[in-house]
């Protein structure tokens, strides 16, 4: 292939990345709060932010590590007060990713970040769910909602949140675990996860983002999750890597997040191509796109460039996300057909 042909091929692949029907599985809805919206909500609710204006808040999006991000993330979500706020936040996210051809999304929310400020659990779920339903009708985006427990809080707190969730379980598909990882191992949440699984919910958990391989192993053994969120630090333990391959545990990777929080030095040394070559079940997601400089398409484009991915690898990422979702078999099959059709249209079909 000449240099020009190779350049054209990369451009065609980027066009395919933009056009491909996408599934997002690791997205914190509070992490879609753009600075402009934060000020809009603050103003209409009479809440003050510690920043003078939008630019000053955006300048603060320069993080040293997970904790420095969480401090700002937890403080900024205090502008979300009413059902309308949660509706608007979720609607704005859906409108944005509809343009990126997201067709299915499974979103986290952090109820403890709201109930601790006196916002009822019902208000949060009502606003988010109403927007998800409107998004289904207006954009054709299907969705699932995942209740995340904050791991820096106690087991008792998690159980109190689980009790508040009971009248709303028809809106909630799974439980998750997020916030500060180190010092808050998965074992602390074994009983609340058992209760959620007994009630028929699916389970996911952040592990191996800030914490080492022990956190991933503990999550698999004690929480019996369907997916691991992040899991990027699995490479520090080769037996664990083999287990993840054997069990085909989905890992929901978030490259721009890992870059911005210093989990990865850069995206060239990111282990994505290696993970794909080993047959790990990985997919690409945006985590907290308002804070980390990109939604799902920007994440995919960034790793395409840094890892010099080819079409077959991009397709594997897309297929993995469909299969790792909580959709039923028929919906998954329909999404696979849509993905393959767009690949063919872009010259990346079976013989492309
Ligand atoms: N890690 C842990 N907790 C979080 C994150 C994350 O990336 N985003 C929002 N809460
Ligand atoms: Zn996350």
């Amino acid at each position: 292939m000449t240099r020009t042909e190779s350049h054209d091929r990369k451009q065609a692949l980027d066009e395919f990345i933009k056009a491909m029907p996408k599934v997002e599985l690791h997205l914190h809805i509070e992490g879609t709060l753009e600075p402009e919206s934060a000020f809009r909500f603050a103003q209409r609710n009479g809440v003050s932010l510690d920043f003078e204006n939008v630019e000053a808040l955006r300048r603060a999006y320069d993080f040293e590590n997970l904790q420095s991000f969480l401090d700002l993330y937890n403080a900024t979500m205090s502008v979300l007060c009413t059902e309308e706020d949660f509706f608007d936040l979720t609607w704005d996210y859906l409108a944005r990713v509809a343009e990126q051809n997201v067709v299915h999304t499974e979103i986290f929310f952090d109820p403890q970040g709201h109930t601790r400020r006196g916002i009822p659990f019902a208000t949060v779920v009502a606003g988010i769910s109403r927007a998800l339903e409107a998004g289904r009708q207006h954009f054709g985006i299907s969705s699932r909602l995942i209740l995340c427990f904050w791991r820096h809080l106690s087991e008792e707190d998690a159980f109190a949140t689980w009790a508040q969730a009971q009248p709303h379980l028809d809106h909630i598909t799974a439980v998750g675990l997020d916030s500060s990882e180190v010092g808050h191992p998965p074992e602390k949440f074994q009983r609340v996860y058992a209760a959620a699984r007994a009630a028929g919910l699916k389970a996911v958990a952040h592990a191996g983002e800030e914490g080492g391989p022990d956190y991933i192993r503990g999550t698999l053994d004690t929480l019996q999750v369907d997916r691991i969120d992040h899991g990027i630090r699995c490479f520090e333990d080769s037996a664990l890597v083999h287990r993840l391959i054997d069990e085909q545990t989905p890992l929901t990777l978030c490259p721009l997040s890992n870059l911005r929080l210093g989990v990865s030095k850069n995206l060239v040394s990111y282990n994505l191509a290696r993970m794909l070559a080993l047959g790990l079940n990985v997919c690409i997601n945006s985590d907290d796109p308002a804070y980390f400089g990109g939604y799902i398409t920007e994440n995919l484009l960034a790793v395409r460039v840094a890892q010099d991915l080819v079409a077959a690898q991009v397709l594997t990422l897309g297929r993995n996300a469909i299969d790792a979702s909580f959709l039923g078999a028929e919906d998954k099959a329909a999404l696979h057909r849509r993905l393959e059709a767009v690949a063919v249209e872009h010259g990346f079909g079976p013989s492309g």
Side-chain angles (χ1 to χ4, degrees):
M1 206 184 289
T2 68
R3 224 169 155 171
T4 322
E5 277 170 345
S6 148
H7 177 260
D8 289 352
R9 192 88 182 148
K10 284 177 185 175
Q11 238 174 11
L13 183 50
D14 286 351
E15 289 312 310
F16 169 61
I17 286 173
K18 291 175 198 164
M20 69 192 265
K22 298 173 191 69
V23 167
E24 175 141 67
L25 303 179
H26 184 155
L27 181 281
H28 303 262
I29 197 63
E30 294 89 348
T32 67
L33 183 57
E34 294 284 346
E36 291 78 5
S37 306
F39 273 91
R40 183 162 52 97
F41 295 144
Q43 205 157 32
R44 78 185 189 193
N45 293 320
V47 174
S48 68
L49 281 165
D50 279 345
F51 298 89
E52 210 171 317
N53 51 36
V54 168
E55 289 69 37
L57 178 55
R58 205 178 280 288
R59 272 199 301 278
Y61 289 9
D62 179 18
F63 307 109
E64 273 177 32
N65 51 32
L66 175 62
Q67 193 57 52
S68 67
F69 155 69
L70 289 171
D71 291 343
L72 186 64
Y73 167 87
N74 295 354
T76 312
M77 71 171 76
S78 67
V79 302
L80 299 164
C81 300
T82 64
E83 183 181 325
E84 215 51 34
D85 297 339
F86 288 97
F87 178 92
D88 289 352
L89 176 76
T90 309
W91 177 262
D92 289 350
Y93 160 70
L94 293 168
R96 196 145 185 171
V97 296
E99 288 180 8
Q100 298 201 341
N101 296 307
V102 167
V103 291
H104 177 72
T105 184
E106 301 190 352
I107 70 176
F108 300 125
F109 73 115
D110 284 327
Q112 287 154 305
H114 312 301
T115 53
R116 67 177 177 147
R117 303 179 284 114
I119 312 297
F121 190 102
T123 300
V124 180
V125 173
I128 297 173
S129 310
R130 199 156 53 78
L132 292 178
E133 182 49 37
R136 193 184 322 272
Q137 287 178 22
H138 193 82
F139 301 117
I141 299 178
S142 57
S143 52
R144 298 287 186 272
L145 190 53
I146 303 174
L147 183 175
C148 269
F149 299 113
W150 267 357
R151 66 196 308 155
H152 67 280
L153 300 181
S154 66
E155 182 195 34
E156 191 186 351
D157 245 302
F159 266 113
T161 301
W162 175 240
Q164 290 167 350
Q166 294 311 300
H168 309 284
L169 290 187
D170 50 338
H171 291 295
I172 297 169
T173 298
V175 289
L177 193 59
D178 65 358
S179 171
S180 324
E181 188 177 357
V182 170
H184 306 286
E187 289 76 10
K188 183 165 133 188
F189 299 95
Q190 181 163 13
R191 287 186 291 198
V192 76
Y193 266 64
R197 280 189 282 99
L201 269 69
K202 304 279 191 189
V204 302
H206 284 54
E209 175 190 23
E210 183 189 44
D214 282 358
Y215 283 77
I216 302 177
R217 206 183 279 287
T219 300
L220 294 171
D221 290 339
T222 63
L223 303 186
Q224 293 167 37
V225 291
D226 299 282
R227 306 193 290 248
I228 294 277
D229 295 312
H230 292 295
I232 191 77
R233 288 190 60 189
C234 66
F235 276 112
E236 294 165 34
D237 178 340
S238 61
L240 175 63
V241 171
H242 284 115
R243 175 175 177 184
L244 292 168
I245 296 167
D246 286 348
E247 295 177 6
Q248 282 296 291
T249 311
L251 306 178
T252 62
L253 303 181
C254 306
L256 289 177
S257 162
N258 294 157
L259 185 65
R260 296 290 279 265
L261 298 186
V263 171
S264 306
K265 270 202 281 311
N266 56 62
L267 293 186
V268 175
S269 61
Y270 201 62
N271 279 316
L272 180 61
R274 186 169 157 213
M275 290 174 120
L276 285 166
L278 287 168
L280 280 159
N281 186 355
V282 291
C283 62
I284 297 297
N285 306 272
S286 68
D287 209 5
D288 301 280
Y291 290 86
F292 300 144
Y295 286 72
I296 189 167
T297 295
E298 288 80 18
N299 273 271
L300 282 160
L301 290 173
V303 287
R304 201 289 291 154
V305 173
Q307 297 276 299
D308 203 18
L309 298 183
V310 296
Q313 291 167 307
V314 172
L315 268 165
T316 299
L317 292 169
R319 292 177 187 135
N320 286 350
I322 296 171
D323 288 332
S325 75
F326 294 135
L327 286 168
E330 269 182 38
D331 289 331
K332 286 184 185 180
L335 287 189
H336 278 297
R337 285 193 295 274
R338 282 175 76 176
L339 176 60
E340 303 311 318
V342 175
V344 169
E345 266 169 40
H346 282 74
F348 298 116
S351 56

